[in-house]
Amino acid sequence: MTPPVLTFDNVTLAYQRHPALHHLSGKLQEGSLTAVAGPNGAGKSTLLKAIIGEVPVSEGRIVHGAHARDIGYLPQIAEINRRFPITVLDTVLMGGWKATGAFGRVGREMLSLARAALEDVGLAGFDYRLIGSLSVGQLQRVLFARLILQDMPVILLDEPFNAIDARTIAVLVEIIAGWHREGRTVLAVLHDMDLIRRHFPETLLLARRPIAWGQTCQALSPDNLAHAMALAEAWDENSEPCRKVS
């Protein structure tokens, strides 16, 4: 059996000194397509940041498999500085750093691949527009094009459909489905339960601790969702981080 892409061994995370996620254990298998769901503040985005090393692990450990350095990460679109004067094409070309190096020359082949990625997301001809002139949906398409150019086997998506139009969501869902068909591993933080049920076969349901992890139809059962909501309503923002269980 292929080793897991990620193993979570009793992982506890704290974000800005507040407890964020407690005692997560489980494995993310290669080629899986998994949604991370849960109420606001459940620890979903913090988990993705911990995987890429932006948030330290307070207790336990995250074990990376063979693709430890081959992770493509899409942050929340609110974290993108749209005032920075950079073109659409240059933004996409940032995804080619692994092939060119941080200061390497961009050749014709890389330019061709970047333009093909823009065509894949429906933005052919947008090369020299500044990202600040784009709608939220157009910018998210640009960021997906950058991921296409990165060509990573593991892809983390933090709320990829937040505040974008239905047409763009349909385009991006098809791109994600294509990655899944290619055998890539995709882990996506999502809020739309109906969309998760339609397109994501596996779900990790969080409420600052794991509620369920498995087939989506079972993980998002009414009882599990009610339990997650009850825990969300009982959160104490001033609570101390819990201790590791043996």
Side-chain angles (χ1 to χ4, degrees), residues 61-76:
R61 60 177 183 158
I62 298 175
V63 180
H64 291 261
H67 302 303
R69 297 185 178 181
D70 297 328
I71 296 178
Y73 171 63
L74 179 82
Q76 292 185 24

Side-chain angles (χ1 to χ4, degrees), residues 13-15 17-22 208 236-242:
L13 306 173
Y15 190 63
R17 299 184 179 181
H18 290 284
L21 181 61
H22 302 256
R208 296 207 180 184
D236 179 0
E237 293 293 343
N238 297 314
S239 63
E240 294 293 329
C242 64

Side-chain angles (χ1 to χ4, degrees), residues 28 31-37 144 155-161 169-170 172-180 184-204 213-220:
L28 190 71
S32 56
L33 177 57
T34 306
V36 184
F144 263 70
I155 300 167
L156 309 181
L157 307 171
D158 195 354
E159 299 190 16
F161 308 134
I169 290 174
L172 301 185
V173 163
E174 182 52 38
I175 290 171
I176 293 170
W179 287 333
H180 182 49
R184 302 176 198 263
T185 306
V186 181
L187 185 67
V189 171
L190 300 168
H191 289 282
D192 187 329
M193 299 300 169
D194 290 336
L195 186 147
I196 292 172
R197 291 186 178 96
R198 289 197 305 270
H199 300 290
F200 287 78
E202 297 180 38
T203 297
L204 167 59
W213 191 353
Q215 293 183 359
T216 293
C217 60
Q218 298 173 0
L220 297 185

Side-chain angles (χ1 to χ4, degrees), residues 11-22 41-59 73 75-76 79 158 208 236-242:
V11 171
T12 292
L13 306 173
Y15 190 63
Q16 295 180 346
R17 299 184 179 181
H18 290 284
L21 181 61
H22 302 256
K44 305 182 296 295
S45 296
T46 303
L47 176 60
L48 264 58
K49 287 181 168 65
I51 291 170
I52 63 172
E54 287 191 4
V55 171
V57 176
S58 299
E59 296 181 10
Y73 171 63
Q76 292 185 24
E79 298 178 17
D158 195 354
R208 296 207 180 184
D236 179 0
E237 293 293 343
N238 297 314
S239 63
E240 294 293 329
C242 64

